[in-house]
Amino acid sequence: MSITIELSPADVEFVQAQAAAGNVSIEEFSREAIMKAARNASYLAKLDRAFKQSIEKKCTPHELIEVD
């Protein structure tokens, strides 16, 4: 699959510098950044669902019992 993204010259310079700092190609840096953003979005969506369920009282409460 191929994706084309238009970046400003300043953004291109930034991406090139970050890729060079990580000693990876621009393509690899971009691929890793996109995948990281996708994983983060998925995780945040799970947190949002859990938060909404807790507000709507759709979760099961558990009591914490401390034992010495």
Side-chain angles (χ1 to χ4, degrees), residues 7-28:
L7 299 172
S8 70
D11 288 342
V12 170
E13 286 182 31
F14 179 76
V15 171
Q16 288 172 333
Q18 295 302 308
N23 200 27
V24 295
S25 68
I26 295 170
E27 292 81 5
E28 181 64 24

Side-chain angles (χ1 to χ4, degrees), residues 5-57:
I5 301 172
E6 295 293 326
L7 299 172
S8 70
D11 288 342
V12 170
E13 286 182 31
F14 179 76
V15 171
Q16 288 172 333
Q18 295 302 308
N23 200 27
V24 295
S25 68
I26 295 170
E27 292 81 5
E28 181 64 24
F29 176 82
S30 300
R31 186 180 308 108
E32 289 175 6
I34 289 169
M35 293 308 300
K36 181 178 180 179
R39 285 189 299 272
N40 286 346
S42 174
Y43 179 69
L44 289 174
K46 288 178 185 179
L47 290 176
D48 284 342
R49 282 192 301 273
F51 182 70
K52 287 177 185 175
Q53 287 177 350
S54 69
I55 289 175
E56 296 169 358
K57 310 279 188 212

